[in-house]
Amino acid sequence: MPEQIRTITDKGQFPKIFSLFFANNDVFLRTASGDLKIVYMGFADGTVAFKIPYVKNMPDSCVILTRKDSYIVNGVFKLKEKDADDMYVFYPVQFQIISSPRKEERMELGTGKSVLFITNLISDYILQNSLALSLKKVENIKEILHFDLEKRFPYIKIYFMNEGMSDPRMKYFYANPVPLFIPNMNAQPDAKHEKHFNTYINEIYARDYLLQNRKNLIAEIAVPVLYHGKIPYGYIQVNSDKPLTDGIFSVIKRLGVVADELFKKNKLFLPETDKLLIADASFSGIGIVFKERKYIRYFKEGSYVIGDMLLPGSTKANVLCVVRNIALMENKIIKVGCQIKDLDALSEVHYHEYLESVGLKAE
């Protein structure tokens, strides 16, 4: 069922909203660094009170949210005053109620044999910073790759994410880590490749003014450089004044793999080897918890993160996730909600066997 969104500004309905969704429920303050768990204290005379720890400077307006059953409720609040002991009083302005049912059950993991950890963590944010801090090594790797290509192609571009995420090809590969192959822009593509061709023309070529000024370049191959074959952090692009073949496409794809191997050889990317606890899990997501703030740098909402889940019986499952939410819970524990995007075949078997062993069944 698609999401349904209802906006409520009628103050006469506010008492019912607080009673149904906020009372006796987990409530969070939306902040720049993630969602902070707070406590709903009550609603009376048109104002509402929350107990909010750790916040030194509360803005004049804020968003406070909660979830109950299949509903997510986002409220906009205007600050009235701060009382003693972290107590804040607000005027509620409006609510947005989103009907968004969870697609599956999520299991809270206990101790003993059911406990899960994740290690060897690295994120695209860390990849980007590592590239920015090792520019000399990055340039050396670019030179090696250029040497293999410069005698064969009139135009070459090797680009990495530390140079900026506004580049049209970098944006494309970040969302779709699939190689681009345009064998001949002057030839009409067949029906199978027409959508791919139109995406290239409208979203990439149309924004590449250098290529538009070099009309003799009629073909392009661009391949993403992927960390462990999963997280895109750069690309290799070649353009030609002659049509390109499938054989050349295979060579450039292989060069993308070689590029990642060169970065591994130079040890540019160092994953976090500490073990972080997985507090809950499902077939499509995991919740990671930790208390030490040094780990927060590995997580940013909307970013990719990759790591090894340590399953019972000395089994590992390599997993690629997207960070969906970050919340500061009670006792300053940080919880990161992640959506699983990719598991290799063997890792998927091991992980699903584990979930079934603790009582979860795939739908």
Side-chain angles (χ1 to χ4, degrees), residues 254-302:
R254 172 58 189 158
L255 200 59
V257 176
V258 169
D260 186 50
E261 291 172 350
L262 288 170
F263 280 103
K264 289 177 186 175
K265 184 178 179 181
N266 282 272
K267 298 180 180 179
L268 254 72
F269 307 131
L270 300 176
E272 176 54 66
T273 56
D274 288 353
K275 295 190 297 184
L276 303 186
L277 181 67
I278 296 176
D280 56 63
S282 71
F283 287 92
S284 65
I286 56 176
I288 303 169
V289 294
F290 49 89
K291 198 164 186 177
E292 291 189 58
R293 296 189 68 85
K294 69 176 184 177
Y295 300 123
I296 194 68
R297 67 194 184 99
Y298 288 92
F299 304 100
K300 182 180 177 183
E301 286 191 14

Side-chain angles (χ1 to χ4, degrees), residues 155-203:
Y155 183 73
I156 303 159
K157 183 177 180 180
I158 300 172
Y159 190 94
F160 295 105
M161 66 192 311
N162 62 296
E163 299 171 60
M165 292 298 292
S166 60
D167 177 87
R169 288 173 186 79
M170 192 67 245
K171 287 175 67 175
Y172 170 83
F173 287 130
Y174 189 78
N176 312 280
V178 179
L180 286 167
F181 180 30
I182 309 299
N184 186 352
M185 283 195 291
N186 294 332
Q188 184 66 28
D190 57 33
K192 181 181 177 181
H193 298 103
E194 186 175 3
K195 184 178 179 181
H196 178 83
F197 179 83
N198 290 337
T199 297
Y200 170 79
I201 293 296
N202 297 325
E203 297 182 13

